[in-house]
Amino acid sequence: MSNYVEDDDLENIRQIFFEECAEQLSLLEEELSSLEETAEVSEKINTIFRAVHSIKGGAGAFGMEKLVRFSHLFEAVLEKFRSGECVVNSVSIATFLKAADVLTDIVSFYRDGTDLSVQDDVSEELNGYLEKIEKYNDNSEDINSFCFSPIKINLEEENTFYIQIIPEFIFYENGDDIRNILFFLEKKGTIVVEINSLNIPCLDTFETNKTYSIWNVEIKTTHDRSEIEEIFDWSGNSIKVNFLDCEKFLEEKNKDCTFLNEEKKEPILGKSLQISHKENATIRIDTKRVDSLVDLLSEIVINQGAIRAQMKINDIRPGSPLDIAISDLEQLTHELQENVMAMRAHPIKMVFQRMGRIVRETSRVANKQVALHLEGEDTEVDRSILEKLSDPLTHMVRNAIDHGLESTDIRTISGKSSEGNLFLRAFHRSGRIIIEVKDDGSGLNCDKIYRKAISKGIINSKSIMEKEEIQNLIFSPGFSTVESVSDISGRGVGMDVVKKSISDMGGRISIFSEKNEGTLFSISLPLTLSVVEGLIFRSQNQNFIVPVSSVVEALLFQKNKIFEISQGIWGYSYRDQYIPIFYSGKIINKNFINGYNNSCIILENEKREKIALIVDEIIDQSRFVVKSIEKNYKKVSGFSSATILGDGEVALIVDVDFLIDIFSSKN
């Protein structure tokens, strides 16, 4: 048995394969989701075929037989669509999407050891296409048998085959690797591998778009030749394979062969080979390394704060050489931090594309016609946020179709188009990412929501509520207006979970709805969960921070501008507006009595509701490293997270939405 790859190297290659699988599966989902809406069907089918083909090739190298067999079947069906023997329609796309799910499950099975459910129904659907074609093509081979025929093993006899493998340049261009073939051959028996390097030219005449190496493989196996030939079938015409007799094989390999497990004492041709990377070349980096780099940079930011604190203690004045040097260092650190954060940023497209499938499946179950419109797919967001977005967005999209959009008949009677419209938008605003889910349906029925909330005991029957307050009742735990449970909704586990998921990401969600015009859900999220730009203030001898994205203005507090709105509730005159006052001391002490107040910070939430936060002193504006309170201690009402200041003190980051909600509840 050859031993040309160490166990650690093999495991590293295996992990790389799984990373590539994730990329190919994501590409598969993206292309399938947009297949029905495009005129370039053949091009997309080719892309889908190549993705499945790449997964199969790597799976073969690691002996993942289940993955090889299913992807081969999927690939065989796709080939019929590529050749024009089958026509793409909604039914076939649905089958392809289910097949993509099976591929994902099988990959998870080999990667994570998860349970693998039986997917015979999907295999039957795929085989059904092959069987239909076979009926109309008398000369076609039995592909079904080819894919799933049992392996015949002759236990009494061992065969020896001498194989010459000549890869074409397209073999490597397609992302394949000769090691994939060698690994899979090794699964069939004992192999000896040699490489013929005689044809490699001098550097002066070396052409980068050609291949020169020839691989000679001797394999002793109990399998017959047809089973060995199957290993090469998935590579198509990208390699040439010659089965030689022993004499010819020895003649070929003795020309100039180098054994793979031999140590090379000199570089080929005795010269070093310089490789120039193409423009926009990329490398694959473990995400843990990037996360570690982000953490280190965060510590540098904290350390710089400590230096600034010491400079203040030692009366180092602004403009001094040390101050200028530290300022330059802070600017460089800021730029480095932004570049590192950009490494973790990904287009939101990968989440949006998944919604296409959710829309297709939900509209089919709900028996509604829905058109999905995507905007801002290239908007980038931190990977840590992106990973958590899929579940809340999925629920909101399903809700919009089930609850928001009317049936075709009702829309026609109302003078609307028979096809409902669902919009997904993403864009940046004020240092945050905004995601909107909008439908042109009937809008939220406030009367129905109000009655349902009373019947479920969420509110008192005597409660008097404004329109926006009633609409926000849909975020109450266990709330649902659906009378009976369906495959889509009605279980009472819904928008409360969505709100919690978004809140856990440091975000907030708002509702804007008009009767018969539709509903808009607006999600506001930080661009990253690692750093926040904040305004630090002091209250009751403690330091606090408010995110700059929520700050409208900071100004001197003028006591003559306050007035009493109602008993115990005060307002502040601000730019021809009257906004409620909240004394910062009450954040940590409900019995706080108004004391020394010097500054006022005008805060605003996503709904443009404002509040005047009265503080003792505004200290500085800077970037702060976000630390989770809940993870390190427990959830504290009124604060979203915390940070460590330069002097080592912990400062809590105020939850602006919480403050404004407190005042709203008092009204």
Side-chain angles (χ1 to χ4, degrees), residues 59-76:
F62 293 100
M64 301 175 183
E65 193 170 346
K66 291 182 175 65
L67 188 54
V68 171
R69 286 184 175 275
F70 188 84
S71 56
H72 188 86
L73 172 61
F74 193 4
E75 187 183 60

Side-chain angles (χ1 to χ4, degrees), residues 310-327:
Q310 289 300 315
M311 288 173 64
K312 188 174 182 180
I313 292 172
N314 290 279
D315 197 26
I316 306 295
R317 296 182 179 181
S320 66
L322 180 58
D323 178 66
I324 293 171
I326 294 297
S327 296

Side-chain angles (χ1 to χ4, degrees), residues 294-318:
V294 171
D295 291 338
L296 286 172
L297 277 168
S298 299
E299 294 304 318
I300 290 174
V301 172
I302 293 173
N303 207 289
Q304 286 176 340
I307 293 173
R308 283 293 184 190
Q310 289 300 315
M311 288 173 64
K312 188 174 182 180
I313 292 172
N314 290 279
D315 197 26
I316 306 295
R317 296 182 179 181

Side-chain angles (χ1 to χ4, degrees), residues 537-538 584 596-601 613-618:
F537 68 87
R538 196 158 185 82
S584 56
Y596 170 73
N597 304 120
N598 183 46
S599 302
C600 174
I601 305 174
L613 181 66
I614 311 302
V615 305
D616 294 350
E617 180 185 7
I618 296 174

Side-chain angles (χ1 to χ4, degrees), residues 631-644:
K631 187 183 295 184
N632 296 290
Y633 175 57
K634 65 180 181 179
K635 189 168 181 64
V636 179
S637 297
F639 303 100
S640 59
S641 49
T643 189
I644 301 173

